Coordinates of all heavy atoms in Angstrom, one line a residue:
M106 N 82.7 -142.0 121.6 CA 82.2 -143.3 121.6 C 80.7 -143.3 121.6 O 80.2 -142.6 122.4 CB 82.7 -144.3 122.7 CG 82.2 -145.6 122.8 SD 82.7 -146.8 123.9 CE 84.4 -146.8 123.7
R107 N 80.0 -144.2 120.8 CA 78.6 -144.2 120.8 C 78.1 -145.3 121.8 O 78.8 -146.3 121.7 CB 78.0 -144.5 119.4 CG 78.2 -143.3 118.5 CD 77.6 -143.8 117.1 NE 77.9 -142.7 116.2 CZ 77.7 -142.8 114.9 NH1 77.2 -143.9 114.4 NH2 77.9 -141.8 114.2
I108 N 77.2 -145.1 122.8 CA 76.7 -146.0 123.6 C 75.3 -146.1 123.7 O 74.5 -145.1 123.7 CB 77.2 -145.6 125.0 CG1 78.9 -145.6 125.0 CG2 76.8 -146.7 126.1 CD1 79.5 -145.1 126.2
L109 N 74.7 -147.2 123.7 CA 73.2 -147.5 123.9 C 73.1 -147.8 125.4 O 73.6 -148.6 126.1 CB 72.8 -148.7 123.1 CG 71.4 -149.2 123.4 CD1 70.4 -148.2 122.8 CD2 71.1 -150.4 122.6
V110 N 72.2 -146.9 125.9 CA 71.8 -147.2 127.4 C 70.3 -147.6 127.5 O 69.6 -146.8 127.1 CB 72.0 -145.8 128.1 CG1 71.7 -146.0 129.6 CG2 73.5 -145.3 128.0
T111 N 70.1 -148.7 128.0 CA 68.8 -149.2 128.2 C 68.3 -148.8 129.7 O 69.1 -149.0 130.5 CB 68.7 -150.7 128.0 OG1 69.4 -151.5 128.8 CG2 68.9 -151.0 126.6
G112 N 67.1 -148.4 129.9 CA 66.7 -148.0 131.2 C 67.4 -146.8 131.6 O 67.5 -146.5 132.9
G113 N 67.6 -145.9 130.6 CA 68.4 -144.7 131.1 C 67.5 -143.6 131.8 O 68.1 -142.8 132.4
A114 N 66.3 -143.8 132.0 CA 65.5 -142.8 132.8 C 65.3 -143.3 134.1 O 64.7 -142.5 135.0 CB 64.1 -142.6 132.1
G115 N 65.7 -144.4 134.5 CA 65.7 -144.9 135.9 C 66.8 -144.2 136.8 O 67.5 -143.4 136.3
Y116 N 66.8 -144.6 137.9 CA 67.8 -143.9 139.0 C 69.2 -144.3 138.5 O 70.0 -143.4 138.4 CB 67.5 -144.5 140.4 CG 68.5 -144.0 141.4 CD1 68.3 -142.8 141.9 CD2 69.6 -144.6 141.8 CE1 69.1 -142.1 142.8 CE2 70.4 -144.2 142.8 CZ 70.2 -142.9 143.3 OH 71.1 -142.3 144.1
I117 N 69.5 -145.5 138.4 CA 70.9 -145.9 138.1 C 71.3 -145.4 136.6 O 72.4 -144.9 136.3 CB 71.1 -147.4 138.2 CG1 71.0 -147.8 139.6 CG2 72.6 -147.9 137.6 CD1 71.0 -149.3 139.9
G118 N 70.3 -145.6 135.6 CA 70.5 -145.2 134.4 C 70.7 -143.7 134.2 O 71.6 -143.3 133.3
S119 N 69.8 -142.9 134.9 CA 70.1 -141.5 134.9 C 71.4 -140.9 135.3 O 72.1 -140.1 134.7 CB 69.0 -140.7 135.5 OG 69.0 -140.9 136.8
H120 N 71.9 -141.6 136.4 CA 73.3 -141.3 136.9 C 74.4 -141.7 135.9 O 75.3 -141.0 135.9 CB 73.4 -141.9 138.2 CG 72.7 -141.1 139.2 ND1 71.3 -141.3 139.6 CD2 73.0 -140.2 140.2 CE1 70.8 -140.5 140.5 NE2 72.0 -139.7 141.1
T121 N 74.1 -142.9 135.3 CA 75.0 -143.3 134.3 C 75.1 -142.3 133.1 O 76.3 -142.0 132.6 CB 74.7 -144.8 133.8 OG1 74.7 -145.6 135.0 CG2 75.6 -145.4 132.9
L122 N 74.0 -141.9 132.7 CA 74.1 -140.9 131.6 C 74.8 -139.6 132.0 O 75.5 -139.2 131.1 CB 72.6 -140.4 131.3 CG 71.5 -141.4 130.7 CD1 70.1 -140.9 130.6 CD2 72.0 -142.1 129.5
I123 N 74.7 -139.1 133.2 CA 75.4 -137.9 133.5 C 76.9 -138.1 133.4 O 77.5 -137.4 133.0 CB 74.9 -137.5 134.9 CG1 73.5 -137.0 134.8 CG2 75.9 -136.3 135.5 CD1 72.8 -136.8 136.3
E124 N 77.3 -139.3 134.0 CA 78.8 -139.7 134.0 C 79.3 -139.8 132.5 O 80.3 -139.2 132.2 CB 79.0 -140.8 134.7 CG 78.9 -140.7 136.3 CD 79.7 -139.5 136.8 OE1 80.9 -139.5 136.5 OE2 79.3 -138.8 137.6
L125 N 78.5 -140.4 131.7 CA 78.9 -140.8 130.4 C 79.0 -139.5 129.4 O 79.8 -139.3 128.7 CB 77.9 -141.8 129.6 CG 78.2 -143.2 130.1 CD1 77.1 -144.1 129.5 CD2 79.5 -143.8 129.8
L126 N 77.9 -138.5 129.6 CA 78.0 -137.3 129.0 C 79.1 -136.4 129.5 O 79.7 -135.7 128.6 CB 76.5 -136.7 129.2 CG 75.3 -137.3 128.5 CD1 74.1 -136.7 129.0 CD2 75.6 -137.1 127.0
A127 N 79.4 -136.5 130.7 CA 80.6 -135.7 131.2 C 81.8 -136.2 130.5 O 82.8 -135.5 130.4 CB 80.7 -135.9 132.8
K128 N 81.9 -137.3 130.0 CA 83.2 -137.9 129.2 C 83.0 -137.7 127.7 O 83.6 -138.4 127.0 CB 83.4 -139.3 129.7 CG 83.8 -139.4 131.2 CD 83.8 -140.7 131.6 CE 84.4 -140.8 133.1 NZ 84.7 -142.0 133.6
D129 N 82.0 -137.0 127.3 CA 81.7 -136.6 125.8 C 81.3 -137.9 125.0 O 81.7 -137.9 123.9 CB 83.0 -135.9 125.3 CG 83.1 -134.6 125.9 OD1 82.1 -133.9 126.3 OD2 84.3 -134.1 126.1
H130 N 80.7 -138.8 125.5 CA 80.1 -139.9 124.9 C 78.8 -139.6 124.1 O 78.2 -138.7 124.6 CB 80.0 -141.1 125.7 CG 81.2 -141.8 126.2 ND1 82.2 -142.4 125.5 CD2 81.7 -141.8 127.5 CE1 83.1 -142.8 126.2 NE2 82.9 -142.4 127.5
E131 N 78.6 -140.2 122.9 CA 77.3 -139.9 122.3 C 76.3 -141.0 122.7 O 76.7 -142.2 122.4 CB 77.6 -139.9 120.8 CG 76.4 -139.7 119.9 CD 76.6 -139.8 118.4 OE1 77.8 -139.4 118.1 OE2 75.8 -140.2 117.7
L132 N 75.2 -140.7 123.2 CA 74.3 -141.7 123.8 C 73.0 -141.8 123.2 O 72.5 -140.8 122.6 CB 74.0 -141.3 125.3 CG 75.2 -141.1 126.1 CD1 74.8 -140.6 127.6 CD2 76.1 -142.2 126.3
T133 N 72.5 -143.0 123.1 CA 71.2 -143.4 122.7 C 70.6 -144.1 123.8 O 71.1 -144.9 124.4 CB 71.2 -144.3 121.4 OG1 71.8 -143.6 120.3 CG2 69.6 -144.6 121.0
V134 N 69.4 -143.5 124.2 CA 68.6 -144.0 125.5 C 67.3 -144.7 125.0 O 66.6 -144.1 124.3 CB 68.3 -142.9 126.4 CG1 67.6 -143.3 127.6 CG2 69.7 -142.2 126.8
I135 N 67.1 -145.8 125.5 CA 65.9 -146.7 125.5 C 65.4 -147.0 126.8 O 66.0 -147.4 127.7 CB 66.2 -147.8 124.7 CG1 66.6 -147.6 123.3 CG2 64.8 -148.8 124.7 CD1 67.0 -148.9 122.6
D136 N 64.0 -146.5 127.0 CA 63.4 -146.9 128.3 C 61.9 -146.9 128.0 O 61.3 -146.2 127.2 CB 63.6 -145.6 129.3 CG 63.4 -146.2 130.7 OD1 62.3 -146.6 131.0 OD2 64.4 -145.9 131.5
N137 N 61.1 -147.9 128.7 CA 59.7 -148.0 128.6 C 59.0 -147.3 129.6 O 57.8 -147.3 129.7 CB 59.3 -149.5 128.6 CG 59.6 -150.2 130.0 OD1 60.1 -149.6 130.8 ND2 59.3 -151.5 130.0
Y138 N 59.7 -146.6 130.5 CA 59.2 -145.8 131.6 C 58.2 -146.5 132.5 O 57.3 -145.9 133.1 CB 58.4 -144.5 131.0 CG 59.2 -143.8 130.0 CD1 58.8 -143.6 128.7 CD2 60.4 -143.1 130.5 CE1 59.6 -142.7 127.9 CE2 61.2 -142.2 129.8 CZ 60.8 -142.1 128.3 OH 61.5 -141.4 127.6
A139 N 58.5 -147.8 132.8 CA 57.8 -148.6 133.7 C 58.0 -148.1 135.1 O 57.1 -148.1 136.0 CB 58.1 -150.0 133.5
N140 N 59.1 -147.7 135.5 CA 59.5 -147.2 136.7 C 60.1 -145.9 136.7 O 61.0 -145.4 137.6 CB 60.5 -148.2 137.4 CG 59.9 -149.5 137.6 OD1 58.8 -149.6 138.2 ND2 60.6 -150.5 137.2
S141 N 59.8 -145.0 135.8 CA 60.3 -143.6 135.6 C 59.4 -142.8 134.8 O 58.4 -143.3 134.3 CB 61.8 -143.9 135.0 OG 61.6 -144.4 133.7
T142 N 59.9 -141.6 134.4 CA 59.0 -140.8 133.6 C 60.0 -139.9 132.5 O 61.2 -139.9 132.9 CB 58.3 -139.6 134.3 OG1 59.3 -138.8 135.0 CG2 57.4 -140.3 135.4
P143 N 59.5 -139.6 131.5 CA 60.3 -138.7 130.4 C 61.0 -137.7 131.1 O 62.0 -137.1 130.5 CB 59.4 -138.6 129.3 CG 58.2 -139.4 129.5 CD 58.1 -139.8 130.9
E144 N 60.4 -136.9 132.1 CA 60.9 -135.9 132.6 C 62.3 -135.9 133.2 O 63.1 -135.2 133.4 CB 60.0 -135.2 133.8 CG 58.6 -134.7 133.3 CD 57.6 -135.8 132.9 OE1 57.6 -137.0 133.4 OE2 56.6 -135.4 132.1
V145 N 62.6 -137.2 133.6 CA 64.0 -137.6 134.1 C 65.0 -137.2 132.9 O 66.1 -136.6 133.3 CB 64.1 -138.9 134.5 CG1 65.5 -139.4 134.9 CG2 63.1 -139.3 135.7
L146 N 64.9 -137.5 131.8 CA 65.7 -137.3 130.8 C 65.8 -135.7 130.5 O 67.0 -135.3 130.1 CB 65.2 -138.0 129.4 CG 65.3 -139.7 129.5 CD1 64.8 -140.2 128.2 CD2 66.6 -140.0 129.8
S147 N 64.7 -135.1 130.7 CA 64.8 -133.6 130.4 C 65.7 -133.0 131.7 O 66.5 -132.0 131.4 CB 63.4 -133.0 130.7 OG 62.6 -133.4 129.6
A148 N 65.6 -133.5 132.9 CA 66.4 -133.2 133.9 C 67.8 -133.3 133.7 O 68.8 -132.7 134.1 CB 65.9 -133.8 135.2
V149 N 68.2 -134.5 133.2 CA 69.5 -135.0 132.8 C 70.1 -133.9 131.8 O 71.3 -133.4 131.9 CB 69.6 -136.4 132.3 CG1 71.1 -136.6 131.7 CG2 69.3 -137.4 133.4
Q150 N 69.3 -133.7 130.8 CA 69.8 -132.7 129.8 C 70.0 -131.3 130.5 O 71.0 -130.7 130.0 CB 68.7 -132.6 128.7 CG 69.2 -131.7 127.5 CD 68.1 -131.9 126.4 OE1 66.8 -132.0 126.6 NE2 68.5 -131.6 125.2
E151 N 69.3 -130.9 131.4 CA 69.5 -129.7 132.0 C 70.8 -129.6 132.8 O 71.5 -128.6 132.9 CB 68.3 -129.2 132.9 CG 67.0 -128.8 132.2 CD 65.9 -128.5 133.1 OE1 66.0 -128.1 134.2 OE2 64.7 -128.6 132.7
I152 N 71.0 -130.8 133.6 CA 72.0 -130.8 134.4 C 73.4 -130.9 133.6 O 74.4 -130.2 134.0 CB 72.1 -132.2 135.3 CG1 70.9 -132.1 136.3 CG2 73.4 -132.4 135.8 CD1 70.7 -133.4 136.9
T153 N 73.4 -131.5 132.4 CA 74.6 -131.6 131.6 C 74.6 -130.5 130.7 O 75.5 -130.3 129.9 CB 74.7 -132.9 130.9 OG1 73.6 -133.1 130.2 CG2 74.8 -134.1 131.9

């Protein structure tokens, strides 16, 4: 399933990404990095 995740680089969003990726979903992430950094998405990629 394709899912759009807004705020995916935040605390809750990043944990949500990990769970969704574990279930083999195809994700698109949008975040303005107001309360996060792009490195979070890199870390999620490494974890999964």
Side-chain angles (χ1 to χ4, degrees):
M106 176 184 296
R107 293 181 185 170
I108 301 174
L109 171 65
V110 181
T111 59
Y116 180 79
I117 294 171
S119 62
H120 286 79
T121 302
L122 294 178
I123 293 169
E124 293 299 317
L125 291 171
L126 288 169
K128 296 180 180 183
D129 295 324
H130 293 292
E131 184 179 331
L132 307 178
T133 300
V134 180
I135 297 175
D136 200 307
N137 66 359
Y138 304 120
N140 294 312
S141 60
T142 62
E144 288 79 22
V145 173
L146 297 178
S147 297
V149 168
Q150 190 174 21
E151 288 180 27
I152 290 170
T153 58

